[in-house]
Amino acid sequence: MKLFDVYPLYDVTPVSAKGMIVTDEKGQEYLDFYGGHAVISIGHSHPHYTQRLKEQVDQIGFYSNAVQNPLQAQLATKLGKLSNCENYNLFLCNSGAEANENALKIASFKTKKSKVIAFKNGFHGRTSAAVAATDNKKINAPINKQQKVAFLPLNDLAAFQKEIQKGDACAVILEAIQGVGGLDEPTTNFYQSVALLCKAWKVILIADEVQSGFGRSGKFFAFQHHGIQPDIISIAKGMGNGFPVGGVLIHEHIEASYGMLGTTFGGNHLACVATLAVLEVLEQENLIENAANLGAYFTEKAKDLPQVKKIKGRGLMLGLEFDFKVTDLRKKLIYKHHLFTGGAKDPYVLRILPALNIQKNQLDLFFNTLKTALR
Ligand code: PMP
């Protein structure tokens, strides 16, 4: 059997990784400024994280989702405190797409409506309803034909007002920083107006924090830069530092009922321990503060590069916009300079998503390497 070939892959085969460094089968080291799409939050193979997972593997040799798992409550308590979201309840699942799928399902149940309002260049994953909430028709045609989606331009309040006034939407889903799209952001005024209009029209506001959450933006959640409170927050990626885990935080004004949502693997012991370990390291090593500080440092240093047309993003969710397409630059950075970076739907944007415990000297190294590659 062959693999179903849906991704172009770089010809690099990592065999080990530590902190910011990934080593391939030939012993070549790479500096990782991408972390597998913002998945690596506390660095590769963080000793506290691997220790916690090893202990859990030794302890648990069974699996059942029909009995108590106290780790879930521990995780909910810790996550509530660290994110300052104690007035939300947690449902655990396995990925970002699944998190958004569940969020849209809840919105539909709650409002008895099905239309979703999403924004151009947003990305929310690849399963039925969540797939529908993306405008990239070429790779993500909607599967669920009933789920109508209105794709609006970001920051166009008049267009948003016109759409929500139709009264048929169950949810608005948006990223506070567009990851896959290329780092565009809603303005504070736009996000706050969207939140107010959602309240007025009883539409569920879903903050997709799958990529921007868990400290990456310099606050626990990126929507917290705008002083709003969503009804549902979807999480994944950096949450497990590479272990597959996702979840939705559901505001307590939405009541749970038996059968509303379900999952076989969501909230399993290893996923809980991986997430707890990430939260412990974020707290012990002040990584959210580090993300904010080093994001500011990055932005200052990027101003010295004349080729950069625009510096985008916040914290360590960053993008550099050039006046040329970055595909060849990324190839050069990997194969010649041994440095991983990311691309975006916007072909002119180079994405930088390092682990949140990155040090200043590693950012200096990044800029020296980028300067050489640009020469
Ligand atoms: N939402 C956002 C904002 C994302 O960036 C992604 C993944 N790129 C997803 C949802 C989907 O997550 P997953 O790949 O874990 O299904």
Side-chain angles (χ1 to χ4, degrees), residues 111-124:
T111 61
K112 315 266 183 299
K113 294 172 185 172
S114 66
K115 195 208 244 169
V116 177
I117 301 178
F119 297 91
K120 296 215 163 109
N121 278 332
F123 185 83
H124 305 290

Side-chain angles (χ1 to χ4, degrees), residues 95-97 100 123-125 175 180 208 210-211 236-237:
S95 70
N100 284 333
F123 185 83
H124 305 290
E175 297 158 273
V180 173
D208 183 341
V210 166
Q211 193 163 146
K237 289 197 193 281

Side-chain angles (χ1 to χ4, degrees), residues 7 37 94-100 122-127 173 175 177-180 208-212 234 236-237 245 317 351:
Y7 289 117
H37 301 296
N94 309 284
S95 70
E98 211 186 315
N100 284 333
F123 185 83
H124 305 290
R126 301 179 195 229
T127 63
I173 183 163
E175 297 158 273
I177 307 170
Q178 290 187 333
V180 173
D208 183 341
E209 292 278 346
V210 166
Q211 193 163 146
S212 54
S234 49
K237 289 197 193 281
V245 56
M317 185 163 177
R351 279 201 295 159

Side-chain angles (χ1 to χ4, degrees), residues 49 74 81 143 211 235 283 287 292 316 334 358:
Y49 172 86
Q74 270 179 42
K81 274 207 186 99
I143 294 167
Q211 193 163 146
I235 52 177
E283 190 178 29
L287 294 192
L316 292 171
I334 288 192
I358 188 175

